[in-house]
PDB file of all heavy atoms in Angstrom:
ATOM      1  N   LEU A   1      -5.268  -3.241   4.730  1.00  0.00           N
ATOM      2  CA  LEU A   1      -3.915  -3.687   4.758  1.00  0.00           C
ATOM      3  C   LEU A   1      -3.354  -3.956   3.334  1.00  0.00           C
ATOM      4  O   LEU A   1      -3.959  -4.794   2.567  1.00  0.00           O
ATOM      5  CB  LEU A   1      -3.765  -4.970   5.598  1.00  0.00           C
ATOM      6  CG  LEU A   1      -4.290  -4.880   7.114  1.00  0.00           C
ATOM      7  CD1 LEU A   1      -4.097  -6.273   7.842  1.00  0.00           C
ATOM      8  CD2 LEU A   1      -3.686  -3.770   7.813  1.00  0.00           C
ATOM      9  N   VAL A   2      -2.241  -3.426   3.079  1.00  0.00           N
ATOM     10  CA  VAL A   2      -1.626  -3.686   1.741  1.00  0.00           C
ATOM     11  C   VAL A   2      -0.208  -4.148   2.000  1.00  0.00           C
ATOM     12  O   VAL A   2       0.426  -3.913   3.124  1.00  0.00           O
ATOM     13  CB  VAL A   2      -1.616  -2.337   0.872  1.00  0.00           C
ATOM     14  CG1 VAL A   2      -3.077  -1.962   0.591  1.00  0.00           C
ATOM     15  CG2 VAL A   2      -0.727  -1.249   1.439  1.00  0.00           C
ATOM     16  N   ASP A   3       0.417  -4.648   0.956  1.00  0.00           N
ATOM     17  CA  ASP A   3       1.664  -5.411   1.179  1.00  0.00           C
ATOM     18  C   ASP A   3       2.851  -4.479   1.306  1.00  0.00           C
ATOM     19  O   ASP A   3       2.692  -3.236   0.989  1.00  0.00           O
ATOM     20  CB  ASP A   3       1.936  -6.343   0.057  1.00  0.00           C
ATOM     21  CG  ASP A   3       2.673  -7.594   0.379  1.00  0.00           C
ATOM     22  OD1 ASP A   3       3.230  -7.712   1.424  1.00  0.00           O
ATOM     23  OD2 ASP A   3       2.708  -8.548  -0.409  1.00  0.00           O
ATOM     24  N   ILE A   4       3.921  -4.996   1.731  1.00  0.00           N
ATOM     25  CA  ILE A   4       5.133  -4.239   2.002  1.00  0.00           C
ATOM     26  C   ILE A   4       6.184  -4.360   0.907  1.00  0.00           C
ATOM     27  O   ILE A   4       6.018  -5.249   0.001  1.00  0.00           O
ATOM     28  CB  ILE A   4       5.861  -4.660   3.329  1.00  0.00           C
ATOM     29  CG1 ILE A   4       6.215  -5.998   3.337  1.00  0.00           C
ATOM     30  CG2 ILE A   4       4.810  -4.313   4.428  1.00  0.00           C
ATOM     31  CD1 ILE A   4       7.011  -6.521   4.531  1.00  0.00           C
ATOM     32  N   ASP A   5       7.125  -3.423   0.837  1.00  0.00           N
ATOM     33  CA  ASP A   5       8.222  -3.538  -0.037  1.00  0.00           C
ATOM     34  C   ASP A   5       9.202  -4.651   0.417  1.00  0.00           C
ATOM     35  O   ASP A   5       9.612  -4.711   1.577  1.00  0.00           O
ATOM     36  CB  ASP A   5       9.001  -2.251  -0.226  1.00  0.00           C
ATOM     37  CG  ASP A   5      10.075  -2.232  -1.082  1.00  0.00           C
ATOM     38  OD1 ASP A   5      10.019  -2.152  -2.336  1.00  0.00           O
ATOM     39  OD2 ASP A   5      11.343  -2.374  -0.598  1.00  0.00           O
ATOM     40  N   ALA A   6       9.673  -5.436  -0.471  1.00  0.00           N
ATOM     41  CA  ALA A   6      10.541  -6.668  -0.095  1.00  0.00           C
ATOM     42  C   ALA A   6      11.926  -6.207   0.387  1.00  0.00           C
ATOM     43  O   ALA A   6      12.540  -7.027   1.136  1.00  0.00           O
ATOM     44  CB  ALA A   6      10.676  -7.582  -1.349  1.00  0.00           C
ATOM     45  N   GLU A   7      12.389  -5.040  -0.014  1.00  0.00           N
ATOM     46  CA  GLU A   7      13.720  -4.630   0.527  1.00  0.00           C
ATOM     47  C   GLU A   7      13.742  -3.729   1.751  1.00  0.00           C
ATOM     48  O   GLU A   7      14.632  -3.899   2.479  1.00  0.00           O
ATOM     49  CB  GLU A   7      14.407  -3.937  -0.713  1.00  0.00           C
ATOM     50  CG  GLU A   7      14.587  -4.786  -1.953  1.00  0.00           C
ATOM     51  CD  GLU A   7      15.424  -4.037  -3.020  1.00  0.00           C
ATOM     52  OE1 GLU A   7      15.575  -2.878  -2.852  1.00  0.00           O
ATOM     53  OE2 GLU A   7      15.712  -4.790  -4.000  1.00  0.00           O
ATOM     54  N   THR A   8      12.800  -2.888   1.880  1.00  0.00           N
ATOM     55  CA  THR A   8      12.781  -2.025   3.042  1.00  0.00           C
ATOM     56  C   THR A   8      11.861  -2.504   4.158  1.00  0.00           C
ATOM     57  O   THR A   8      12.059  -1.965   5.321  1.00  0.00           O
ATOM     58  CB  THR A   8      12.234  -0.545   2.631  1.00  0.00           C
ATOM     59  OG1 THR A   8      10.857  -0.655   2.239  1.00  0.00           O
ATOM     60  CG2 THR A   8      13.065   0.049   1.467  1.00  0.00           C
ATOM     61  N   PHE A   9      11.019  -3.438   3.908  1.00  0.00           N
ATOM     62  CA  PHE A   9       9.981  -3.907   4.819  1.00  0.00           C
ATOM     63  C   PHE A   9       8.976  -2.869   5.139  1.00  0.00           C
ATOM     64  O   PHE A   9       8.023  -3.116   6.038  1.00  0.00           O
ATOM     65  CB  PHE A   9      10.571  -4.439   6.156  1.00  0.00           C
ATOM     66  CG  PHE A   9      11.764  -5.327   5.923  1.00  0.00           C
ATOM     67  CD1 PHE A   9      12.795  -5.388   6.924  1.00  0.00           C
ATOM     68  CD2 PHE A   9      11.938  -6.119   4.861  1.00  0.00           C
ATOM     69  CE1 PHE A   9      13.900  -6.238   6.766  1.00  0.00           C
ATOM     70  CE2 PHE A   9      12.983  -7.035   4.668  1.00  0.00           C
ATOM     71  CZ  PHE A   9      14.002  -6.988   5.662  1.00  0.00           C
ATOM     72  N   ASN A  10       9.033  -1.678   4.582  1.00  0.00           N
ATOM     73  CA  ASN A  10       8.008  -0.643   4.757  1.00  0.00           C
ATOM     74  C   ASN A  10       6.884  -0.780   3.730  1.00  0.00           C
ATOM     75  O   ASN A  10       6.995  -1.483   2.738  1.00  0.00           O
ATOM     76  CB  ASN A  10       8.624   0.726   4.608  1.00  0.00           C
ATOM     77  CG  ASN A  10       9.303   1.202   5.798  1.00  0.00           C
ATOM     78  OD1 ASN A  10       8.803   1.013   6.942  1.00  0.00           O
ATOM     79  ND2 ASN A  10      10.326   2.016   5.612  1.00  0.00           N
ATOM     80  N   ILE A  11       5.747  -0.177   3.986  1.00  0.00           N
ATOM     81  CA  ILE A  11       4.598  -0.165   3.136  1.00  0.00           C
ATOM     82  C   ILE A  11       4.960   0.220   1.671  1.00  0.00           C
ATOM     83  O   ILE A  11       5.802   1.046   1.454  1.00  0.00           O
ATOM     84  CB  ILE A  11       3.448   0.686   3.775  1.00  0.00           C
ATOM     85  CG1 ILE A  11       2.110   0.398   2.976  1.00  0.00           C
ATOM     86  CG2 ILE A  11       3.729   2.133   3.628  1.00  0.00           C
ATOM     87  CD1 ILE A  11       0.895   1.057   3.682  1.00  0.00           C
ATOM     88  N   ASP A  12       4.362  -0.574   0.772  1.00  0.00           N
ATOM     89  CA  ASP A  12       4.661  -0.338  -0.730  1.00  0.00           C
ATOM     90  C   ASP A  12       3.808   0.700  -1.198  1.00  0.00           C
ATOM     91  O   ASP A  12       2.533   0.495  -1.358  1.00  0.00           O
ATOM     92  CB  ASP A  12       4.448  -1.649  -1.319  1.00  0.00           C
ATOM     93  CG  ASP A  12       4.943  -1.593  -2.948  1.00  0.00           C
ATOM     94  OD1 ASP A  12       4.981  -0.541  -3.380  1.00  0.00           O
ATOM     95  OD2 ASP A  12       5.241  -2.799  -3.435  1.00  0.00           O
ATOM     96  N   PRO A  13       4.324   1.884  -1.680  1.00  0.00           N
ATOM     97  CA  PRO A  13       3.342   2.864  -2.224  1.00  0.00           C
ATOM     98  C   PRO A  13       2.549   2.514  -3.358  1.00  0.00           C
ATOM     99  O   PRO A  13       1.381   2.966  -3.529  1.00  0.00           O
ATOM    100  CB  PRO A  13       4.294   4.006  -2.547  1.00  0.00           C
ATOM    101  CG  PRO A  13       5.506   3.872  -1.718  1.00  0.00           C
ATOM    102  CD  PRO A  13       5.637   2.370  -1.551  1.00  0.00           C
ATOM    103  N   GLN A  14       3.053   1.692  -4.188  1.00  0.00           N
ATOM    104  CA  GLN A  14       2.331   1.115  -5.323  1.00  0.00           C
ATOM    105  C   GLN A  14       1.012   0.401  -4.880  1.00  0.00           C
ATOM    106  O   GLN A  14      -0.058   0.586  -5.449  1.00  0.00           O
ATOM    107  CB  GLN A  14       3.159   0.274  -6.304  1.00  0.00           C
ATOM    108  CG  GLN A  14       2.350  -0.259  -7.490  1.00  0.00           C
ATOM    109  CD  GLN A  14       3.183  -1.188  -8.340  1.00  0.00           C
ATOM    110  OE1 GLN A  14       4.478  -1.112  -8.286  1.00  0.00           O
ATOM    111  NE2 GLN A  14       2.659  -2.008  -9.171  1.00  0.00           N
ATOM    112  N   ARG A  15       1.145  -0.357  -3.797  1.00  0.00           N
ATOM    113  CA  ARG A  15      -0.045  -1.069  -3.235  1.00  0.00           C
ATOM    114  C   ARG A  15      -0.983  -0.096  -2.666  1.00  0.00           C
ATOM    115  O   ARG A  15      -2.142  -0.335  -2.640  1.00  0.00           O
ATOM    116  CB  ARG A  15       0.399  -2.134  -2.318  1.00  0.00           C
ATOM    117  CG  ARG A  15       1.498  -3.146  -2.759  1.00  0.00           C
ATOM    118  CD  ARG A  15       0.921  -3.861  -3.961  1.00  0.00           C
ATOM    119  NE  ARG A  15       2.030  -4.658  -4.636  1.00  0.00           N
ATOM    120  CZ  ARG A  15       2.121  -4.910  -5.901  1.00  0.00           C
ATOM    121  NH1 ARG A  15       1.162  -4.290  -6.697  1.00  0.00           N
ATOM    122  NH2 ARG A  15       3.061  -5.629  -6.393  1.00  0.00           N
ATOM    123  N   ILE A  16      -0.495   0.946  -2.023  1.00  0.00           N
ATOM    124  CA  ILE A  16      -1.448   1.942  -1.508  1.00  0.00           C
ATOM    125  C   ILE A  16      -2.314   2.447  -2.650  1.00  0.00           C
ATOM    126  O   ILE A  16      -3.567   2.590  -2.536  1.00  0.00           O
ATOM    127  CB  ILE A  16      -0.644   3.135  -0.840  1.00  0.00           C
ATOM    128  CG1 ILE A  16       0.112   2.640   0.350  1.00  0.00           C
ATOM    129  CG2 ILE A  16      -1.637   4.206  -0.445  1.00  0.00           C
ATOM    130  CD1 ILE A  16       1.042   3.634   0.974  1.00  0.00           C
ATOM    131  N   ALA A  17      -1.601   2.982  -3.749  1.00  0.00           N
ATOM    132  CA  ALA A  17      -2.391   3.491  -4.819  1.00  0.00           C
ATOM    133  C   ALA A  17      -3.410   2.584  -5.468  1.00  0.00           C
ATOM    134  O   ALA A  17      -4.589   2.943  -5.744  1.00  0.00           O
ATOM    135  CB  ALA A  17      -1.447   3.978  -5.959  1.00  0.00           C
ATOM    136  N   GLU A  18      -3.140   1.328  -5.465  1.00  0.00           N
ATOM    137  CA  GLU A  18      -4.158   0.297  -5.897  1.00  0.00           C
ATOM    138  C   GLU A  18      -5.234   0.169  -4.931  1.00  0.00           C
ATOM    139  O   GLU A  18      -6.307  -0.394  -5.433  1.00  0.00           O
ATOM    140  CB  GLU A  18      -3.343  -1.005  -6.127  1.00  0.00           C
ATOM    141  CG  GLU A  18      -2.355  -0.919  -7.258  1.00  0.00           C
ATOM    142  CD  GLU A  18      -1.440  -2.248  -7.267  1.00  0.00           C
ATOM    143  OE1 GLU A  18      -1.584  -3.011  -6.344  1.00  0.00           O
ATOM    144  OE2 GLU A  18      -0.660  -2.334  -8.223  1.00  0.00           O
ATOM    145  N   ALA A  19      -5.166   0.462  -3.681  1.00  0.00           N
ATOM    146  CA  ALA A  19      -6.114   0.139  -2.693  1.00  0.00           C
ATOM    147  C   ALA A  19      -7.200   1.284  -2.471  1.00  0.00           C
ATOM    148  O   ALA A  19      -8.133   1.115  -1.747  1.00  0.00           O
ATOM    149  CB  ALA A  19      -5.503  -0.288  -1.362  1.00  0.00           C
ATOM    150  N   VAL A  20      -6.858   2.407  -2.988  1.00  0.00           N
ATOM    151  CA  VAL A  20      -7.721   3.625  -2.752  1.00  0.00           C
ATOM    152  C   VAL A  20      -9.103   3.386  -3.367  1.00  0.00           C
ATOM    153  O   VAL A  20      -9.185   3.008  -4.514  1.00  0.00           O
ATOM    154  CB  VAL A  20      -7.003   4.884  -3.337  1.00  0.00           C
ATOM    155  CG1 VAL A  20      -7.986   6.104  -3.186  1.00  0.00           C
ATOM    156  CG2 VAL A  20      -5.716   5.201  -2.508  1.00  0.00           C
ATOM    157  N   THR A  21     -10.124   3.649  -2.581  1.00  0.00           N
ATOM    158  CA  THR A  21     -11.519   3.571  -3.029  1.00  0.00           C
ATOM    159  C   THR A  21     -12.272   4.902  -2.593  1.00  0.00           C
ATOM    160  O   THR A  21     -11.598   5.786  -1.960  1.00  0.00           O
ATOM    161  CB  THR A  21     -12.244   2.363  -2.432  1.00  0.00           C
ATOM    162  OG1 THR A  21     -12.477   2.634  -0.979  1.00  0.00           O
ATOM    163  CG2 THR A  21     -11.445   1.064  -2.595  1.00  0.00           C
ATOM    164  N   GLU A  22     -13.553   4.950  -2.890  1.00  0.00           N
ATOM    165  CA  GLU A  22     -14.257   6.094  -2.428  1.00  0.00           C
ATOM    166  C   GLU A  22     -14.451   6.266  -0.909  1.00  0.00           C
ATOM    167  O   GLU A  22     -14.769   7.333  -0.373  1.00  0.00           O
ATOM    168  CB  GLU A  22     -15.731   6.170  -3.082  1.00  0.00           C
ATOM    169  CG  GLU A  22     -16.565   5.047  -2.549  1.00  0.00           C
ATOM    170  CD  GLU A  22     -16.372   3.665  -3.223  1.00  0.00           C
ATOM    171  OE1 GLU A  22     -15.450   3.594  -4.104  1.00  0.00           O
ATOM    172  OE2 GLU A  22     -16.998   2.767  -2.829  1.00  0.00           O
ATOM    173  N   LYS A  23     -14.145   5.102  -0.205  1.00  0.00           N
ATOM    174  CA  LYS A  23     -14.201   5.129   1.233  1.00  0.00           C
ATOM    175  C   LYS A  23     -12.883   5.553   1.964  1.00  0.00           C
ATOM    176  O   LYS A  23     -12.848   5.769   3.175  1.00  0.00           O
ATOM    177  CB  LYS A  23     -14.623   3.699   1.806  1.00  0.00           C
ATOM    178  CG  LYS A  23     -16.054   3.365   1.456  1.00  0.00           C
ATOM    179  CD  LYS A  23     -16.393   2.017   2.022  1.00  0.00           C
ATOM    180  CE  LYS A  23     -17.806   1.624   1.680  1.00  0.00           C
ATOM    181  NZ  LYS A  23     -18.178   0.260   2.358  1.00  0.00           N
ATOM    182  N   THR A  24     -11.862   5.491   1.178  1.00  0.00           N
ATOM    183  CA  THR A  24     -10.554   5.801   1.753  1.00  0.00           C
ATOM    184  C   THR A  24     -10.454   7.278   2.171  1.00  0.00           C
ATOM    185  O   THR A  24     -10.711   8.162   1.478  1.00  0.00           O
ATOM    186  CB  THR A  24      -9.400   5.583   0.751  1.00  0.00           C
ATOM    187  OG1 THR A  24      -9.529   4.223   0.141  1.00  0.00           O
ATOM    188  CG2 THR A  24      -8.051   5.797   1.375  1.00  0.00           C
ATOM    189  N   ARG A  25     -10.067   7.461   3.552  1.00  0.00           N
ATOM    190  CA  ARG A  25      -9.878   8.791   4.107  1.00  0.00           C
ATOM    191  C   ARG A  25      -8.545   9.129   4.439  1.00  0.00           C
ATOM    192  O   ARG A  25      -8.123  10.212   4.679  1.00  0.00           O
ATOM    193  CB  ARG A  25     -10.710   8.939   5.336  1.00  0.00           C
ATOM    194  CG  ARG A  25     -12.228   9.039   5.038  1.00  0.00           C
ATOM    195  CD  ARG A  25     -12.549  10.397   4.399  1.00  0.00           C
ATOM    196  NE  ARG A  25     -12.027  11.413   5.111  1.00  0.00           N
ATOM    197  CZ  ARG A  25     -12.446  12.069   6.295  1.00  0.00           C
ATOM    198  NH1 ARG A  25     -13.511  11.510   6.907  1.00  0.00           N
ATOM    199  NH2 ARG A  25     -11.777  13.090   6.908  1.00  0.00           N
TER     200      ARG A  25
END
């Protein structure tokens, strides 16, 4: 789970990029 954008309430792409690991599919 990663944080959301404060204005749209949708998932924040920047937080997605930060959370990617070798296990991410």
Side-chain angles (χ1 to χ4, degrees):
L1 307 180
V2 301
D3 215 350
I4 61 174
D5 178 80
E7 296 184 352
T8 65
F9 313 150
N10 276 326
I11 193 168
D12 186 338
Q14 181 178 340
R15 304 302 172 214
I16 296 174
E18 294 169 353
V20 174
T21 70
E22 69 280 356
K23 293 183 178 181
T24 307
R25 285 291 311 283

